C-alpha cells in the first residue's frame, strides 16, 4: 500500500475478497491488485466471480507460488497482468498505470458508444433503413429504388440522418455505425 501511495495513487485495502465485494459498487474506476492466496476466496476465484457477474475491473494478479497454468487461468478470467514475487517495484507501478489507462480508454469507448446509441434512438425507422444502406455504400438512387421512393426523398432522409447523428461526413457516419456494432 505504501509503495502504491508513494507513486501518487489513492489506495483502498480490503481484508478479503468478500470484504471487497461487500463495498464495491459498479462504475467505480480503479484497479485491483490481488494475491493468488488470500483468506477465504482466492484471487483466481474472485476473478472468476467478477467475470460471472460481468464486472470488468482491471486486475493485476501477484503471487509467490505461480506457474504457467495458473497465469493462463488468471488471464482467461480477465487479469491484465500476472506478476511473480519478488517483483520489481517499478514494474508493478507501470502495470498499475497501464491497467488504469486501459480502463479509462475502455470507459471512454463505452461512453462514446452510449452517446451514439442515444443519437440512433432519435432516428425514425425509415432513417434507420436509409442509414444502414448508406453505410453499406449504396447510392441514393439504389436506396430510392430499393425503398420505392424518389432520390430526392432519400436525399432528405440522408440529410436528417447526418444531422441527427451529428456526422460531418459519410466516413464519420460509417465509423459511428461500426462503433455501435462493436
Amino acid at each position: 500500500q505504501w509503495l502504491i501511495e508513494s507513486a501518487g495513487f489513492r489506495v483502498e485495502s480490503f481484508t478479503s475478497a468478500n470484504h471487497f465485494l461487500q463495498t464495491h459498487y459498479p462504475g467505480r474506476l480503479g484497479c485491483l491488485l490481488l494475491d493468488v492466496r488470500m483468506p477465504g476466496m482466492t484471487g483466481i476465484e474472485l476473478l472468476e466471480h467478477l467475470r460471472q457477474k460481468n464486472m470488468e475491473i482491471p486486475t493485476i494478479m501477484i503471487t509467490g507460488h505461480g506457474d504457467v497454468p495458473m497465469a493462463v487461468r488468471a488471464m482467461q478470467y480477465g487479469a491484465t497482468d500476472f506478476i511473480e514475487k519478488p517483483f520489481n517495484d517499478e514494474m508493478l507501478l507501470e502495470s498499475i498505470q497501464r491497467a488504469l489507462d486501459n480502463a479509462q480508454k475502455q470507459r471512454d469507448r463505452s461512453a462514446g458508444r452510449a452517446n451514439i446509441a442515444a443519437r440512433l434512438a432519435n432516428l425514425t425507422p425509415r432513417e434507420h433503413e436509409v442509414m444502414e444502406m448508406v453505410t453499406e455504400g449504396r447510392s441514393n438512387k439504389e436506396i430510392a429504388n430499393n425503398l420505392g421512393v424518389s432520390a430526392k426523398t432519400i436525399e432528405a432522409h440522408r440529410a436528417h440522418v447526418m444531422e441527427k447523428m451529428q456526422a460531418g461526413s459519410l466516413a464519420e457516419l460509417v465509423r459511428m455505425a461500426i462503433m455501435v456494432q462493436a
Side-chain angles (χ1 to χ4, degrees):
Q1 181 173 338
W2 174 85
L3 169 68
I4 298 167
E5 286 175 335
S6 72
F9 296 106
R10 195 173 73 77
V11 177
E12 191 171 349
S13 297
F14 302 93
T15 57
S16 67
N18 287 329
H19 180 220
F20 166 76
L21 290 170
Q22 290 169 359
T23 60
H24 177 71
Y25 56 88
R28 184 179 196 176
L29 189 59
C31 170
L32 279 178
L33 181 59
L34 300 177
D35 199 317
V36 169
R37 293 185 178 176
M38 300 188 314
M41 188 184 299
T42 69
I44 300 277
E45 289 169 341
L46 177 56
L47 271 176
E48 184 177 9
H49 176 82
L50 294 172
R51 183 165 197 150
Q52 289 171 352
K53 300 287 184 189
N54 291 321
M55 298 169 70
E56 294 185 25
I57 305 168
T59 303
I60 299 164
M61 184 69 65
I62 61 171
T63 186
H65 311 283
D67 55 25
V68 172
M70 184 183 296
V72 169
R73 190 168 166 215
M75 299 306 252
Q76 287 173 334
Y77 287 133
T80 57
D81 209 346
F82 190 92
I83 301 173
E84 288 189 273
K85 296 176 191 175
F87 51 81
N88 173 293
D89 293 352
E90 221 28 63
M91 185 175 82
L92 176 64
L93 294 173
E94 287 172 9
S95 182
I96 291 169
Q97 187 61 60
R98 210 173 26 257
L100 291 171
D101 290 346
N102 289 339
Q104 186 59 52
K105 287 176 189 170
Q106 179 62 34
R107 183 176 280 216
D108 292 346
R109 281 191 297 272
S110 294
R113 278 193 293 275
N115 187 324
I116 292 168
R119 293 180 205 167
L120 278 170
N122 289 325
L123 298 180
T124 66
R126 178 60 71 153
E127 289 167 347
H128 272 281
E129 285 179 301
V130 170
M131 179 179 164
E132 187 175 315
M133 289 186 234
V134 165
T135 58
E136 288 172 354
R138 297 186 188 184
S139 70
N140 286 351
K141 187 175 179 180
E142 287 177 291
I143 297 169
N145 289 337
N146 188 299
L147 297 179
V149 297
S150 72
K152 282 278 190 204
T153 300
I154 295 305
E155 286 176 24
H157 285 307
R158 187 174 176 157
H160 289 135
V161 167
M162 297 296 282
E163 181 181 330
K164 288 180 178 181
M165 293 302 296
Q166 300 171 16
S169 67
L170 177 58
E172 189 176 352
L173 186 66
V174 170
R175 276 192 298 277
M176 288 180 194
I178 291 169
M179 188 178 210
V180 171
Q181 291 172 358

